[in-house]
Amino acid sequence: MLTCLAVSGYRSLRDVRLGLGPLNVITGPNGSGKSSLYRALRLLSDVAQGRAIGSLAAEGGLESTLWAGPEKISRDMRSGRFPVQGTRRDGPVSLRLGFASEDFGYAIDLGLPIPSLTRFSHDPEIKAESVWTGQMLGRSNSFADRNGQRVRLRNRSTGEWQARFAELPAYDSMMMHCPDAADGHELLLLRERMRGWRFYDDLRTDRDAPARRPQIGTRTPVLASDGSDLGAAIQTIVEIGAADTLRETIADAFDGATLAVGARFEVEMQQPGLLRPLVAAELSDGTLRYLLLAAALLSPRPPELMILNEPEASLHPDLLDPLARLLVTASRHSQIIIVSHARALVEALDRAADTLVIELRKEWGETHTSQVGVPDWAWPKR
Ligand SMILES: Nc1ncnc2c1ncn2[C@@H]1O[C@H](COP(=O)(O)OP(=O)(O)OP(=O)(O)O)[C@@H](O)[C@H]1O
Ligand SMILES: [Mg+2]
């Protein structure tokens, strides 16, 4: 379970630290930084896939994603005596992402490239990385670190540092190059875990949504991120998963309706009062979305961490209570982070279980959180 998430220099998240529990909702007004937090988590999981630099480029590159305000906002700027303006920088330009979990922590620091003869001169560079045991990075608990191109690992039995790379390219994370069974197996474990984080933010329900089409079904313990294998995922839950919970949540949400999966793996819903079941192509957007969420949340192979971006989109308020119950059920097997701006969902979750509600707000362009007593944090040094 992640216990802390830390982001610095990423969009409006100039310096944000969150303590996390088993079930978390991140909420706040428009522009407060919710989606940015979601994307920061995605970027972290991209690091473990070797895709972080590419994802940053797809977001417009480091120049666009870096905090666009001054390094510090002075008291005179806040009081309006002086306009907000850039001051001479004390520190380097840097975008930093990290997390701590119950056993390991990881952080990465990305910065501007050193000018050189290349057409990829806008690619950000990985300046520092660190992996440690326990909560906060310290001198004695780190066991892998990177500084510039140098990477070293600590031998866990002797405690000695050993050089691993002298020249790891600045676009490669040490998470991609050090994990091996012999002396990097904690890194391997951590990387596989980060790869296993499951994100849902693009469950399409429009007329042409993949979930509305018949499909070739194979056993599907994990719903695809676009929901295209909905029928197979539902059938897998029925055969090897929480079939009863699925049946109950559908009946609960849709007045006694039942689900079936047709010959071509299309989802069918029998609603009271109708002579024939409706197929996925005929379901309303909200109904389809609820089915997609149920298939994602009742996965027979639950991930360690599941992150859902605005799951409430297009759901009627009546469905928010069943959705909250579904989320609570899922949080028994996975840590859940929900990004939502639906007050009603936040309240339903708060009523249903011990939910950590994290409110974001923006002040002087910078995201702040409502949390008090956030965990201590230290970034790796460059
Ligand atoms: N490089 C940057 N530096 C500072 N602020 C930025 C930067 N890029 C974007 N922002 C601002 O960060 C804020 C947070 O955006 P974000 O998309 O995370 O908001 P949100 O909470 O998801 O809002 P919504 O509810 O409207 O989706 C926005 O106001 C945006 O203009
Ligand atoms: Mg948003």
Side-chain angles (χ1 to χ4, degrees), residues 164-182:
R164 185 59 185 267
F165 287 102
E167 291 187 345
L168 185 67
Y171 47 83
D172 270 336
S173 161
M174 70 176 186
M175 298 301 275
M176 297 304 293
H177 288 269
C178 298
D180 62 45

Side-chain angles (χ1 to χ4, degrees), residues 53-292:
I53 306 278
S55 303
L56 267 177
E59 287 190 32
L62 201 58
E63 284 88 348
S64 149
T65 50
L66 274 175
W67 159 244
E71 193 180 16
K72 289 187 202 80
I73 298 181
S74 67
R75 197 179 309 155
D76 285 335
M77 291 183 203
R78 284 179 206 272
S79 69
R81 253 166 56 99
F82 294 132
V84 173
Q85 58 188 353
T87 44
R88 200 160 61 84
R89 293 195 71 89
D90 291 332
V93 166
S94 108
L95 187 172
R96 295 178 291 188
L97 306 164
F99 67 90
S101 65
E102 283 162 315
D103 42 11
F104 302 129
Y106 169 76
I108 184 169
D109 176 356
L110 294 137
L112 294 175
I114 297 162
S116 63
L117 275 180
T118 167
R119 288 200 36 208
F120 304 106
S121 57
H122 290 283
D123 280 10
E125 286 189 352
I126 302 175
K127 302 288 187 182
E129 290 179 276
S130 205
V131 177
W132 61 92
T133 45
Q135 279 301 305
M136 188 173 126
L137 171 64
R139 200 189 280 271
S140 57
N141 63 348
S142 126
F143 63 87
D145 72 23
R146 173 215 195 107
N147 198 300
Q149 296 192 298
R150 285 192 307 280
V151 178
R152 52 184 199 153
L153 301 183
R154 198 203 288 266
N155 184 304
R156 301 274 262 144
S157 44
T158 64
E160 304 269 314
W161 284 103
Q162 275 152 359
R164 185 59 185 267
F165 287 102
E167 291 187 345
L168 185 67
Y171 47 83
D172 270 336
S173 161
M174 70 176 186
M175 298 301 275
M176 297 304 293
H177 288 269
C178 298
D180 62 45
D183 51 359
H185 74 265
E186 283 99 347
L187 260 68
L188 187 66
L189 195 77
L190 188 63
R191 184 184 77 185
E192 290 314 302
R193 247 194 229 170
M194 290 163 76
R195 287 182 176 180
W197 296 352
R198 208 172 287 162
F199 293 84
Y200 286 108
D201 65 345
D202 191 23
L203 292 169
R204 279 177 53 193
T205 57
D206 55 282
R207 286 294 117 194
D208 300 320
R212 292 190 184 276
R213 290 196 290 264
Q215 50 185 281
I216 295 167
T218 57
R219 284 190 179 81
T220 304
V222 179
L223 180 76
S225 60
D226 63 352
S228 55
D229 46 12
L230 177 65
I234 296 271
Q235 186 59 29
T236 309
I237 295 171
V238 169
E239 290 187 18
I240 63 162
D244 292 341
T245 314
L246 178 66
R247 199 174 325 108
E248 283 156 20
T249 189
I250 298 302
D252 178 25
F254 303 105
D255 295 326
T258 54
L259 272 191
V261 176
R264 292 163 70 209
F265 286 91
E266 62 276 44
V267 174
E268 300 174 350
M269 192 180 214
Q270 180 71 54
Q271 281 160 318
L274 294 188
L275 294 174
R276 63 167 181 88
L278 298 180
V279 294
E282 299 168 309
L283 296 175
S284 78
D285 292 357
T287 308
L288 186 61
R289 173 165 278 267
Y290 192 83
L291 299 186
L292 286 160

Side-chain angles (χ1 to χ4, degrees), residues 339-381:
V339 173
S340 167
H341 58 209
R343 184 111 302 272
L345 178 63
V346 177
E347 281 164 9
L349 277 166
D350 220 10
R351 275 195 303 276
D354 196 8
T355 309
L356 193 60
V357 178
I358 302 168
E359 291 261 3
L360 303 184
R361 69 195 141 79
K362 207 159 81 169
E363 261 173 44
W364 292 95
E366 178 185 342
T367 296
H368 294 271
T369 84
S370 61
Q371 275 193 319
V372 280
V374 284
D376 289 333
W377 183 262
W379 291 109
K381 298 228 164 29

